[in-house]
Amino acid sequence: MADQAVDIGGARVSGTGRPPAVETAPTDSQFLGRTRELKELRADIGRAGLNTLAGRKAPHARVLLVAGRPGFGRTALAEELVRQVTDGYPDGVLRARLTEPDGTRVPVERAARELLGELGLPAPAGADEDDLSEALREALADRRVVVLLDDAADAEQVDALLPDTPDSLVVAVSEGPLTGISDVRPCTLGGLDTKSAVELLERFSGSVRITVDPRSAEGLAEVCGAQPAALRLAGGWLAARPAAAVSDLAKQLRAGDDDSPPLARVFKLAYASLPTAAARILRLLALAPAGLVDPHVASGLAGCSVGAARTTLDDFVALGFLHQADAALPQYEVPGCLQPLLWSLAERQERPGELQLARARMLERTVRLLQSCRAITETDSPMAREKLLAMPKALRFPTPRAAEEWLRARRPALLAAARLAVADGELDTLARRLMSQLVRAMVAHFGTQAAAPDLYGVHRLVLDVAERRDLPREQAAALLNLGDLDARTGRTQAALARYRAALDAGRRANDPYATGRAMESVGGAHQELEDYDRAADWYGRALAQRLARDEREDAARLYGRIATAHTYAGRYGEALRNWSSALTGHRRLGDVGGQARALSEMARVQEYAGRPEEALGTCQEAAEWARRADDTRLQAAIQLRIADTLERLGDPAAARLHRGAAERLLDDEVPDPETHEIEPEQDANACEIRSASVKD
């Protein structure tokens, strides 16, 4: 019966080795009991509602409510119900959790984005709560789905996510009633029936002791209040102590004058019996973002090896402290009912400095994993390969695919880590690095467009902190990033407002990079809005700053952008003069590809100006520079432009030859046959945390 110290190198929770139940540790999919509740809930699906009885159409999907305190199997019952009825809803099941593990209410905006993401539909970056709720309703209007809303904080959350069609079903889990939503009858949960409670106990503890002493097992179930979470802990405690009798545990739980709830009493006993090192790991899991834990998170929090952390986490599953959250990856979930108990222990038994250090270690480990996740996509970069090989083996991913799978699986926890990093209202170096690496990893694996909603949320976090702390440089960086995302999703007016605000912040910070980028972006927004005079003016302001700072590469690009604005406005002479300046800048820089692109754009302007012979000569010169640059796609695009010009000059035979040359260059992959245009030079607005203090 005596507990033995854990060997943190091997992370054994008890001296007998891994508890016998760990090899077949039960999962939440092995559902027990609740026959009456399931029958009532299923009957409620087909029940005629008040609107139907009154001859009116139901205003929204039928809502079934599973109510009760955490730890009584609310989510398990909801999941079992969904499993049983899902065949009647051919468009599948959508899930969203509406309360964070620490009790924080999840914004409707984030929940709606999650549900749209599960449907595979884009959620516009920057859209507000009402827009996203409407987008979700429109997406569900012609679908038959089950929507599981777990741990709802209030009726307003649920109401904002309800499908308008009665063809869908909503299953909500909440601690109390959803007052304000019509025609909802709660199914309120208490403890399990005695038979199911004993069976759950048996699954964790093993069958022998339960079979030989069923009365004691029933007594233990009664002491545990027939609460599933308490029964799992009691069963895990027995599994780790093969010599202990069921009646012994029941007596210990009844002893003393402890009048706390059954779950708290069982947890206190189970926690007290853990070795010191394992107990510390367990209470530090209260810091795990979104309540999701993997071996790296536990290793960072406790300062132990990844292997030791994984073994300990597996043991915690067997003991009932954790759930296995992902079968494909070693990922675990802290049950919501245990989160307050763990946090209370952490606050009482750890000094504030130790909690801060554990949090910093965990976030630092997350930063390094994100660096590794991104670096493996850059296999053609010797510097990236060198950085990757310099990392410990435990932090490296075997393939880009494995890195992407990790990023997808850990996405909720990573976004929660970003929120945790700035939760204290600070934007320190570690928080900046985490944000930067998270953005870069998402862009590398998913692309800017697909990752835009998540990126928007990350940059909003930075902006909120920067505004509260009056950090103008960080404000400018976040506003530029948000403006870029608005621009990419067609919200040009919103982008323009962001860029102007970024310019003001950049000037307050005396940051020439931010002000230059902001002026150029303001010009780009005006160009998108077809206000070409203002676009050229703002590009000119940015150009003046670049020239004053002798930033020649940026100046050459800006000459091209000014030329593009003049071209759209029909001022071909001004456009040609600026393309000529861009060409001169690229020549001085030795940028062969830049010269080819500038010449090609000059040829296009010459054609617009009605000078096809000059355009042909300029195109031929551009083709030679593209050949020297060894840019196959650029060569092919120029060959197609030459072919178009020859057609206009009345030489179809020569035009065919150039088109054939283009096709050979691209192996039959031809650009848009209607335009054959080369994109005008644009600034590459990388979506990342821009700050002089942030280094890769």
Side-chain angles (χ1 to χ4, degrees):
M1 289 290 293
D3 295 322
Q4 298 183 27
V6 66
D7 172 10
I8 200 59
R12 293 298 183 215
V13 169
S14 73
T16 59
R18 188 181 297 276
V22 79
E23 301 300 336
T24 57
T27 66
D28 287 341
S29 62
Q30 296 172 296
F31 188 76
L32 282 171
R34 305 298 190 192
T35 305
R36 177 183 56 81
E37 291 90 342
L38 281 167
K39 183 178 179 180
E40 291 176 355
L41 286 165
R42 295 197 63 168
D44 210 26
I45 297 175
R47 175 180 58 84
L50 298 177
N51 286 281
T52 302
L53 294 173
R56 298 188 299 266
K57 181 183 177 182
H60 52 65
R62 171 57 52 88
V63 180
L64 304 181
L65 172 60
V66 179
R69 297 195 308 277
F72 278 89
R74 304 174 305 171
T75 301
L77 175 59
E79 288 284 3
E80 177 63 16
L81 173 65
V82 168
R83 187 191 68 78
Q84 291 186 14
V85 304
T86 190
D87 288 346
Y89 299 89
D91 293 311
V93 180
L94 306 177
R95 293 174 172 84
R97 182 167 181 168
L98 302 185
T99 303
E100 298 278 19
D102 63 359
T104 304
R105 182 182 186 275
V106 171
V108 169
E109 173 189 332
R110 194 198 313 165
R113 285 188 186 280
E114 293 289 338
L115 293 170
L116 285 168
E118 287 193 44
L119 288 168
L121 299 175
D128 61 20
E129 177 180 314
D130 292 338
D131 290 338
L132 288 166
S133 295
E134 184 60 30
L136 180 62
R137 288 193 174 97
E138 289 179 4
L140 297 177
D142 57 353
R143 287 178 165 90
R144 287 177 56 84
V145 298
V146 180
V147 182
L148 174 54
L149 302 177
D150 194 8
D151 212 1
D154 51 53
E156 287 75 16
Q157 276 183 312
V158 175
D159 187 55
L161 302 171
L162 286 182
D164 284 336
T165 170
D167 294 331
S168 291
L169 173 68
V170 173
V171 180
V173 175
S174 179
E175 190 162 349
L178 297 178
T179 305
I181 298 179
S182 61
D183 207 21
V184 178
R185 290 193 305 189
C187 173
T188 305
L189 293 190
L192 290 169
D193 63 89
T194 302
K195 180 182 177 183
S196 298
V198 170
E199 187 176 345
L200 179 58
L201 190 63
E202 181 180 326
R203 285 187 178 182
F204 273 82
S205 65
S207 62
V208 175
R209 282 171 290 182
I210 304 300
T211 302
V212 300
D213 193 0
R215 290 294 182 88
S216 293
E218 291 176 3
L220 178 57
E222 182 182 355
V223 174
C224 293
Q227 184 177 5
L231 291 166
R232 281 194 292 267
L233 291 173
W237 188 92
L238 289 168
R241 294 159 184 79
V246 176
S247 57
D248 292 338
L249 176 56
K251 288 177 183 177
Q252 289 192 56
L253 292 173
R254 288 193 182 101
D257 55 357
D258 190 349
D259 59 354
S260 57
L263 177 60
R265 278 182 282 155
V266 182
F267 175 81
K268 181 179 179 181
L269 178 65
Y271 173 80
S273 64
L274 290 175
T276 303
R280 181 170 183 270
I281 292 176
L282 181 62
R283 62 179 177 263
L284 288 176
L285 296 186
L287 298 173
L292 295 171
V293 187
D294 70 358
H296 284 286
V297 168
S299 170
L301 287 170
C304 63
S305 72
V306 176
R310 177 166 187 176
T311 304
T312 303
L313 293 175
D314 285 337
D315 286 344
F316 285 159
V317 173
L319 293 170
F321 289 114
L322 297 180
H323 299 316
Q324 186 82 39
D326 192 324
L329 293 173
Q331 183 161 252
Y332 313 81
E333 183 177 8
V334 179
C337 58
L338 299 187
Q339 190 79 26
L341 299 171
L342 292 177
W343 183 246
S344 176
L345 283 169
E347 286 189 313
R348 288 202 315 268
Q349 299 188 25
E350 301 286 339
R351 293 191 297 272
E354 286 297 321
L355 290 176
Q356 289 182 348
L357 180 60
R359 169 183 168 275
R361 282 196 306 262
M362 176 190 66
L363 294 177
E364 178 64 36
R365 178 69 59 87
T366 303
V367 168
R368 298 186 70 191
L369 282 165
L370 287 167
Q371 287 176 326
S372 175
C373 182
R374 179 176 61 90
I376 199 168
T377 67
E378 302 172 345
T379 53
D380 56 343
S381 167
M383 185 178 296
R385 287 200 302 271
E386 185 178 337
K387 283 185 177 181
L388 192 61
L389 292 173
M391 292 182 176
K393 187 175 180 180
L395 296 178
R396 299 202 299 263
F397 295 94
T399 63
R401 182 184 180 87
E404 181 178 339
E405 289 175 350
W406 173 84
L407 188 61
R408 287 190 188 280
R410 293 291 297 165
R411 175 184 158 275
L414 292 169
L415 293 173
R419 295 191 291 272
L420 175 66
V422 297
D424 56 2
E426 297 292 337
L427 193 60
D428 57 19
T429 301
L430 180 56
R432 289 189 177 99
R433 290 173 59 226
L434 175 64
M435 303 289 190
S436 177
Q437 292 303 327
L438 178 56
V439 167
R440 293 178 180 186
M442 286 187 164
V443 170
H445 285 281
F446 307 147
T448 302
Q449 198 69 27
D454 287 339
L455 301 181
Y456 202 93
V458 172
H459 296 313
R460 277 290 328 175
L461 286 173
V462 176
L463 180 61
D464 289 344
V465 176
E467 288 177 342
R468 290 200 305 270
R469 304 288 297 174
D470 192 24
L471 304 172
R473 176 173 295 183
E474 284 72 15
Q475 284 182 45
L479 286 163
L480 285 169
N481 285 312
L482 290 167
D484 290 345
L485 290 169
D486 282 328
R488 286 189 177 98
T489 52
R491 298 162 55 87
T492 311
Q493 288 287 1
L496 180 58
R498 299 274 194 199
Y499 292 142
R500 287 185 176 277
L503 178 59
D504 292 340
R507 285 170 172 164
R508 284 197 296 122
N510 195 25
D511 184 342
Y513 171 79
T515 54
R517 262 277 286 115
M519 286 189 286
E520 186 173 350
S521 298
V522 168
H526 280 302
Q527 180 174 308
E528 185 66 23
L529 294 169
E530 301 183 5
D531 188 345
Y532 304 122
D533 291 337
R534 288 184 178 176
D537 177 57
W538 280 101
Y539 289 149
R541 298 185 199 191
L543 173 63
Q545 186 195 65
R546 301 298 189 189
L547 290 172
R549 295 174 58 81
D550 197 28
E551 295 171 349
R552 300 180 182 181
E553 185 176 349
D554 289 327
R557 188 191 68 253
L558 279 161
Y559 276 121
R561 300 202 76 174
I562 294 170
T564 300
H566 285 309
T567 301
Y568 287 146
R571 294 187 290 266
Y572 302 130
E574 288 293 327
L576 287 171
R577 279 191 289 275
N578 278 280
W579 276 122
S580 179
S581 297
L583 177 62
T584 300
H586 288 306
R587 281 177 177 161
R588 288 175 178 171
L589 291 166
D591 182 356
V592 178
Q595 293 178 64
R597 287 187 290 274
L599 284 164
S600 178
E601 290 300 321
M602 288 179 70
R604 182 157 66 99
V605 177
Q606 287 166 342
E607 279 202 50
Y608 292 161
R611 294 147 56 182
E613 293 85 358
E614 288 183 38
L616 180 60
T618 306
C619 267
Q620 288 168 339
E621 185 181 355
E624 174 60 23
W625 285 106
R627 185 190 62 77
R628 294 184 190 181
D630 196 25
D631 189 331
T632 303
R633 292 192 63 81
L634 182 57
Q635 290 179 67
I638 293 173
Q639 291 293 337
L640 289 169
R641 181 162 290 164
I642 292 173
D644 287 346
T645 305
L646 288 167
E647 286 277 10
R648 294 186 184 94
L649 290 171
D651 192 347
R656 283 195 296 273
L657 289 174
H658 284 280
R659 285 200 175 89
E663 291 173 1
R664 288 191 296 275
L665 282 166
L666 293 179
D667 293 327
D668 298 326
E669 184 183 357
V670 185
D672 187 341
E674 293 186 3
T675 62
H676 310 314
E677 290 183 357
I678 304 165
E679 279 296 313
E681 295 188 20
Q682 305 286 335
D683 65 326
N685 294 340
C687 284
E688 58 186 59
I689 304 300
R690 296 179 175 88
S691 172
S693 63
V694 177
K695 302 295 182 184
D696 183 11

